[in-house]
């Protein structure tokens, strides 16, 4: 028997953290790591943000859980605030990204069912997508490595390549309920969906009565410098899945929709025991206090631009390691010529955390509160990691 009593579904780094302070994570052995991963885009306001800590503590002394059999005041408040700040009229709170996406898929199907078109249950998705790890969302994501060995793929998901509107048009049929996509693919490798393509999808959806579902679980809540990434394209979805950053580290998700669509979730159609509990709602409301404060999103845009420019210089000065820098705001990616996990490991040696993704990309997604000075520090650590890798390449090259 191995030492850990945990399932072996993760290849962990071995690092063990004791506490966090802003953008910094302190390991048990006292090393300070600059966190450019944010627990996979979750710690939107960094670690131990005083406003979030205070909100959670205050709620913890009052009330933890009552279930959705009763009114949860925090849900009413947060729902209204989200409705005011987005396209949406209504919110359904849950506990994770996959659940927010499952709710979105179910809602789209139920909407057509309610309109007398139960055969419209197919969801059109795109290559490189990631929508979660439930049986429904692995079918939506369509990636063979996540589907393998888990029985037949759930029916009703059709996948095509992003970027070709004619192909989308051809793929929309009498069975199509919705098109679902991430405006910036996260796990897929920080791949931005072009704004013209998003606008084209909106138009195709309007013409065919198809619903547009956006998965903004990773790209939302300020990550790209807008409250939600689709705002860059000036379009809005009918349904949107949100999680990760909205809880600032407290597990929560939310499915948002227009009134017309949301009403298909009539009493009894869908539910959750834990979703929207008072603790999560207290933290979610506190996250919005900061993210929607005057100037915060603009600050993300300017810090993101600065970080991206500095990453571009890093790419230029290490052409053997890197190909390009991608992304918007503080959702950035370094496309590598080496294995991204190798760069992540080398950076860890210099106490910098980043996250590998698909398409040979390393994700750089620091807390949205990162300062200019911390960006400079992050770059200098990445420079050191790059230098280590380059000298290794030289040694290997010489040995051949
Ligand atoms: C993380 C993620 C999910 C899944 O969220 P979980 O909370 O892990 O279930 C779904 N879609 C996208 C775009 C994500 O980044």
């Amino acid at each position: 028997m191995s030492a850990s009593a945990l399932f072996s579904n993760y290849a962990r780094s071995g690092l063990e953290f004791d506490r966090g302070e802003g953008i910094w994570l302190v390991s048990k052995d006292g090393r300070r790591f600059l966190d450019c991963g944010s627990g996979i885009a979750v710690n939107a306001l960094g670690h131990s943000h005083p406003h979030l800590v205070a909100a959670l503590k205050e709620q913890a002394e009052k009330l933890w859980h009552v279930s959705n059999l009763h009114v949860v005041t925090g849900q009413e408040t947060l729902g209204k605030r989200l409705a005011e700040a987005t396209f949406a009229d209504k919110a359904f709170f849950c506990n994770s990204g996959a659940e927010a996406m499952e709710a979105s898929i179910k809602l789209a199907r139920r909407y057509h069912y309610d309109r007398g078109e139960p055969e419209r249950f197919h969801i059109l998705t795109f290559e490189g997508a990631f929508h979660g790890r439930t049986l429904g969302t692995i079918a939506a994501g369509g990636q063979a490595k996540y589907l393998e060995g888990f029985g037949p793929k759930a029916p009703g998901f059709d996948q095509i390549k992003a970027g070709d509107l004619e192909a989308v048009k051809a793929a929309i049929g009498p069975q199509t309920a919705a098109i679902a996509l991430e405006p910036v693919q996260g796990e897929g490798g920080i791949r931005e969906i072009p704004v013209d393509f998003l606008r084209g999808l909106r138009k195709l959806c309007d013409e065919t009565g198809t619903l547009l579902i956006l998965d903004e679980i990773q790209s939302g809540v300020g990550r790209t410098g807008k409250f939600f990434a689709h705002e860059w394209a000036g379009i809005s979805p009918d349904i949107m899945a949100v999680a990760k950053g909205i809880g600032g580290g407290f597990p929560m998700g939310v499915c948002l929709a227009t009134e017309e669509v949301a009403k298909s979730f009539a009493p009894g159609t869908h539910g959750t025991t834990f979703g929207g509990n008072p603790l999560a709602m207290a933290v979610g409301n506190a996250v919005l206090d900061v993210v929607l404060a005057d100037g915060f999103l603009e600050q993300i845009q300017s810090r993101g631009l600065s970080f991206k420019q500095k990453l571009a210089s890093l790419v230029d000065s290490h052409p053997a390691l890197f190909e390009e820098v991608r992304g918007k705001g503080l959702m950035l990616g370094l496309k590598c010529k080496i294995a991204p996990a190798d760069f992540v490991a080398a950076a860890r040696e210099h106490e910098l955390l980043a996250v590998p993704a698909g398409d040979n990309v390393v994700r750089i997604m620091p807390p949205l509160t990162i300062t200019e000075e911390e960006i400079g520090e992050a770059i200098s650590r990445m420079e050191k990691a790059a230098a280590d890798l380059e000298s290794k390449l030289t040694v290997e090259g010489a040995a051949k």
Side-chain angles (χ1 to χ4, degrees):
M1 204 176 83
S2 65
S4 173
L6 303 180
F7 278 14
S8 47
N9 56 329
Y10 285 109
R12 297 176 198 269
S13 71
L15 288 176
E16 222 173 324
F17 297 106
D18 185 48
R19 60 182 195 279
E21 298 157 5
I23 190 174
W24 301 93
L25 273 171
V26 185
S27 63
K28 280 205 150 166
D29 56 6
R31 288 191 292 160
R32 291 174 66 82
F33 288 75
L34 205 163
D35 187 5
C36 280
S38 303
I40 320 187
V42 166
N43 302 99
L45 304 182
H47 303 277
S48 317
H49 192 287
H51 187 59
L52 305 198
V53 173
L56 185 60
K57 275 188 175 162
E58 190 189 327
Q59 187 59 47
E61 307 209 330
K62 279 203 291 205
L63 186 65
W64 289 20
H65 177 83
V66 294
S67 88
N68 287 300
L69 299 174
H70 309 290
V71 175
V72 180
T73 315
Q75 281 189 33
E76 300 290 339
T77 322
L78 187 51
K80 266 208 184 79
R81 295 176 78 186
L82 286 168
E84 269 163 24
T86 68
F87 75 96
D89 305 307
K90 300 281 179 183
F92 165 77
F93 292 101
C94 52
N95 310 286
S96 68
E99 281 174 89
M101 212 37 215
E102 285 269 344
S104 302
I105 293 162
K106 286 178 70 178
L107 180 60
R109 288 178 172 180
R110 188 77 189 197
Y111 167 84
H112 293 291
Y113 172 89
D114 284 350
R115 296 162 78 92
E117 296 182 291
E119 71 287 353
R120 284 185 88 163
F121 66 90
H122 279 245
I123 315 284
L124 211 58
T125 65
F126 295 95
E127 285 175 24
F130 180 80
H131 298 299
R133 299 290 204 122
T134 59
L135 288 168
T137 54
I138 55 174
Q143 292 206 43
K145 65 177 175 182
Y146 296 141
L147 285 159
E148 191 183 347
F150 296 121
K153 182 179 156 206
F157 295 94
D158 310 314
Q159 195 159 62
I160 54 174
K161 235 187 160 70
D164 184 350
L165 276 178
E166 285 307 310
V168 180
K169 200 170 181 175
I172 295 177
Q175 287 194 307
T176 310
I179 297 175
L181 77 163
E182 304 151 76
V184 183
Q185 290 186 341
E187 309 292 316
I190 313 293
R191 287 194 278 189
E192 282 183 70
I193 303 298
V195 294
D196 287 345
F197 185 70
L198 283 174
R199 289 180 191 141
L201 288 182
R202 180 67 267 178
K203 193 157 168 278
L204 279 177
C205 283
D206 291 342
E207 287 164 4
T208 56
T210 305
L211 297 175
L212 183 61
I213 301 174
L214 290 181
D215 178 346
E216 291 241 27
I217 291 165
Q218 194 161 154
S219 57
V221 196
R223 184 50 57 190
T224 69
K226 295 275 189 194
F227 192 31
F228 287 99
H230 67 264
E231 294 167 30
W232 289 107
I235 56 137
S236 54
D238 303 289
I239 304 175
M240 180 163 73
V242 181
K244 294 202 165 95
I246 185 92
F250 200 94
M252 72 171 284
V254 54
C255 172
L256 296 171
T258 60
E259 169 122 52
E260 193 205 351
V261 176
K263 67 181 182 222
S264 284
F265 269 177
T269 51
H270 189 62
T272 166
T273 300
F274 290 125
N277 92 30
L279 295 172
M281 296 302 99
V283 182
N285 272 303
V287 167
L288 288 206
D289 291 342
V290 177
V291 172
L292 295 180
D294 271 351
F296 190 77
L297 293 169
E298 290 74 14
Q299 178 185 289
I300 295 166
Q301 291 176 21
S302 61
R303 300 265 156 87
L305 213 55
S306 155
F307 210 156
K308 193 172 183 179
Q309 281 164 353
K310 292 183 169 83
L311 287 170
S313 318
L314 179 79
V315 168
D316 286 345
S317 51
H318 303 280
L321 302 177
F322 306 119
E323 205 171 297
E324 61 167 357
V325 53
R326 298 174 169 178
K328 255 205 194 91
L330 291 166
M331 187 172 187
L332 299 169
L334 272 175
K335 169 121 170 133
C336 299
K337 291 179 180 164
I338 55 165
D342 288 350
F343 182 69
V344 169
R348 211 156 51 219
E349 292 299 311
H350 294 281
E351 282 86 27
L352 181 120
L353 302 177
V355 187
D359 202 28
N360 243 38
V361 165
V362 172
R363 277 177 283 179
I364 312 292
M365 303 183 297
L368 306 176
T369 47
I370 192 169
T371 63
E372 271 303 331
E373 198 188 344
E374 288 164 338
I375 290 170
E377 182 58 34
I379 291 287
S380 111
R381 289 171 188 226
M382 287 182 211
E383 278 288 356
K384 287 178 192 157
D388 288 355
L389 286 169
E390 250 167 16
S391 62
K392 233 191 240 164
L393 283 183
T394 317
V395 172
E396 276 164 22
K400 269 181 198 155

